[in-house]
Amino acid sequence: MAIQIATDGMIIHAKVRNARSPAIERGRRTSTITGIVVHQTDADTSASSLNSYTRPKANGAHFLVDTDGTIYQTAAIYQRTNHVGPLKARCLITGKYSPRDYPAGVNAVDLMHRIEMRRAPGDRYPGNMEAIGIEMVGRARLPAGFQVPRNNKLSMDELRGRYGVYDTPTAAQNQTLSWLVKALEDSMQIAPSEIFRHPEASRKNTTEAQGANWNLVVPTP
């Protein structure tokens, strides 16, 4: 189900609305696109995210999927955006290496990321340079009856980020996500094994995109 992609990296299709925000683009990629990372916005509406993408030095992904299934392309796919964060070690999942192969201590996260970025893309999770990012509108909410930890020094937004549970994507979002992922896989020759939820690839709230399903049957084209 390959689709038309303009030379500037914008998709030409009736399903995709052009909402390009140059503020989130960080320059043309210097590596081949090898994967997709699926996120949630931690916002209630698409408008709030689209507005935030216009601010100087804003971060964002290449696509935004609204709760009704509308797709907005917010960055050209040939442009890098900052949406992944420090990489986890994929080889710890495959069993190729063990935790003792990585440094510990206060800088462990950054050091692991640096080690991973020296590996070939297929041997690690895709980073900002190789990954297309797809955001789904959805907010993390503190569970009912949540008790603030004793001696808490976090703001409410920080508490939500750490302890909140993300909204379950709507049926329309998952149907659209499945169409978009399939279109990108076929158009960019991305392997199905290289599609990840954000918390798989980086250190994020583990409930982010937990209900995302990109394997639904979709009509063509």
Side-chain angles (χ1 to χ4, degrees):
M1 190 178 68
I3 54 177
Q4 185 178 0
I5 302 173
T7 55
D8 63 356
M10 300 300 290
I11 289 177
I12 303 173
H13 196 282
K15 285 183 178 289
V16 182
R17 298 187 183 183
N18 187 326
R20 187 174 183 179
S21 294
I24 68 174
E25 297 178 345
R26 297 293 187 269
R28 194 167 179 86
R29 298 181 191 269
T30 57
S31 298
T32 302
I33 294 170
T34 60
I36 298 171
V37 176
V38 179
H39 309 254
Q40 281 182 287
T41 59
D42 197 18
D44 286 307
T45 67
S46 59
S48 61
S49 294
L50 291 171
N51 287 337
S52 74
Y53 294 166
T54 66
R55 298 169 188 161
K57 299 182 180 180
N59 289 326
H62 299 85
F63 297 92
L64 176 66
V65 180
D66 207 344
T67 54
D68 65 357
T70 301
I71 304 172
Y72 300 93
Q73 185 172 359
T74 49
I77 60 174
Y78 301 134
Q79 289 280 324
R80 176 177 64 87
T81 71
N82 291 340
H83 64 96
V84 179
L87 295 181
K88 289 182 177 179
R90 187 174 184 177
C91 56
L92 297 181
I93 303 299
T94 62
K96 189 173 182 179
Y97 291 93
S98 71
R100 64 175 175 269
D101 295 310
Y102 292 87
V106 293
N107 296 318
V109 171
D110 288 338
L111 290 171
M112 176 178 284
H113 175 75
R114 292 176 190 175
I115 291 171
E116 290 305 293
M117 289 304 296
R118 291 198 291 267
R119 304 190 193 284
D123 293 330
R124 58 171 169 81
Y125 293 114
N128 290 324
M129 193 62 75
E130 302 88 18
I132 293 172
I134 301 175
E135 289 272 15
M136 305 175 78
V137 174
R139 189 166 175 82
R141 307 177 194 278
L142 290 172
F146 174 79
Q147 297 293 317
V148 176
R150 184 175 298 178
N151 300 322
N152 171 63
K153 295 182 180 179
L154 301 177
S155 68
M156 287 306 296
D157 274 347
E158 289 170 332
L159 285 170
R160 279 194 317 98
R162 180 174 297 184
Y163 301 107
V165 177
Y166 273 86
D167 294 335
T168 300
T170 66
Q173 281 180 304
N174 277 334
Q175 193 68 46
T176 291
L177 178 66
S178 295
W179 179 87
L180 181 56
V181 166
K182 178 62 175 173
L184 291 170
E185 284 178 344
D186 291 352
S187 301
M188 307 303 299
Q189 290 78 56
I190 298 172
S193 62
E194 299 306 301
I195 319 299
F196 303 98
R197 295 169 51 247
H198 197 191
E200 292 181 277
S202 190
R203 287 167 174 77
K204 299 296 176 179
N205 182 311
T206 57
T207 70
E208 183 183 348
Q210 67 180 353
N213 183 355
W214 50 84
N215 294 307
L216 300 176
V217 176
V218 296
T220 56

